[in-house]
Amino acid sequence: MSNTTIDIPGYEGRAVNIKQGQTFRVIDVEGCQIADMFVISSDDNSEYFSPALTKQVIFRTVAKPGDHIYSNRRRPMLTFQNDTSPGPHDMSFAPCDPGFYLDLGADESHPNCLNNFQQALGSLGLSIDPAPDPFNLFQNTAPKANGDFDVGVTLSQAGDYVEFKTEMDVIVVVSACSVDLEVDGVQALGGKSTPLQIQIL
Ligand SMILES: [Zn+2]
C-alpha cells in the first residue's frame, strides 16, 4: 500500500479524511514550525478532540506517546504512537485568530489558524462554528510552576514528526501556524511560517 502525502504550505491549512485503524504522521518539513491539529469524528461532526477532557483523563498538561487523545464525548479518537521531536506539544492554547493578531498590533487580516481551519474544512463541504480547540503540535508553551506560560522558540528540527493511530473514522485538519510576530518577546517560529506535511502510512 502506498503512502498518501498532503502538503501544507506555510500560513495555510488542509483537511483530510482518515479511516479507523490507519496511522498518520504530521511532519515539520523545515523545522521550527507549529502545527495546529484539529480532529473531528467523520460520523458526527459535533464530536471532536477536546484538550480539556484529554488532560482530565491523562492527568497531565500535555499528551505523550502511549496516551489516547479523547473526544468531547470521552471516546478515544487517536492513539499517540511516536514523537521524534523534543516537544513539547501545547494542549492549552486556542487557535490564533484575527483578535490575537490585533492584540499583537498587527492587522486583523493577518493569516491565522482559525481561518485556516474553516477554509480547510470548507474544502470538504463542512463547517463547525464555533471551531473546536486544537492540539498545538511542536508549540513550546509549557506552563511554569506559578501558572504563567513560558513561550519558547519551537524546538522541532527539519523532518521531525508526531505519529498517531486513528481509533475511529476522523477528519484531521492541520494548520501551519502563522505567528510570525513576537509573543512575550519570543519569535516562536523564527519569523515566518513554513510547510508541514500529513503522511498517511
Ligand atoms: Zn496559529
Side-chain angles (χ1 to χ4, degrees):
M1 210 170 83
S2 63
N3 295 346
T4 300
T5 299
I6 295 103
D7 288 309
I8 306 167
Y11 296 98
E12 296 187 23
R14 294 289 185 274
V16 61
N17 281 286
I18 306 180
K19 290 287 185 194
Q20 181 181 13
Q22 290 193 281
T23 296
F24 71 96
R25 293 174 178 172
V26 179
I27 304 166
D28 182 354
V29 177
E30 296 181 9
C32 198
Q33 177 58 44
I34 296 166
D36 283 40
M37 180 179 77
F38 306 79
V39 187
I40 300 146
S41 165
S42 301
D43 291 338
D44 178 353
N45 296 165
S46 69
E47 180 171 18
Y48 42 73
F49 165 60
S50 167
L53 200 141
T54 298
K55 285 183 279 190
Q56 185 198 61
V57 175
I58 67 176
F59 224 65
R60 273 197 302 281
T61 55
V62 290
K64 61 183 183 183
D67 287 335
H68 287 309
I69 303 301
Y70 289 86
S71 76
N72 52 353
R73 300 205 182 115
R74 198 175 271 273
R75 296 202 301 156
M77 302 191 86
L78 306 178
T79 301
F80 194 166
Q81 293 200 138
N82 200 358
D83 180 5
T84 69
S85 82
H89 308 286
D90 172 86
M91 290 206 324
S92 296
F93 277 54
C96 61
D97 61 7
F100 177 83
Y101 290 100
L102 277 179
D103 286 350
L104 290 176
D107 194 274
E108 66 180 350
S109 66
H110 190 284
N112 63 81
C113 289
L114 182 63
N115 283 357
N116 287 348
F117 168 79
Q118 295 296 4
Q119 283 187 8
L121 206 56
S123 75
L124 301 181
L126 301 171
S127 173
I128 301 174
D129 191 17
D133 284 324
F135 189 1
N136 298 305
L137 304 173
F138 313 117
Q139 181 173 319
N140 184 7
T141 46
K144 294 188 271 198
N146 68 357
D148 289 353
F149 286 110
D150 196 7
V151 179
V153 173
T154 306
L155 299 174
S156 44
Q157 304 285 313
D160 273 343
Y161 63 83
V162 287
E163 181 182 287
F164 301 95
K165 178 168 165 270
T166 52
E167 302 298 335
M168 62 174 70
D169 292 356
V170 291
I171 300 159
V172 172
V173 182
V174 175
S175 168
C177 188
S178 53
V179 62
D180 54 4
L181 305 165
E182 278 193 7
V183 176
D184 206 23
V186 175
Q187 282 274 14
L189 302 182
K192 68 176 172 139
S193 179
T194 57
L196 300 166
Q197 272 184 353
I198 303 171
Q199 192 174 76
I200 304 170
L201 304 181

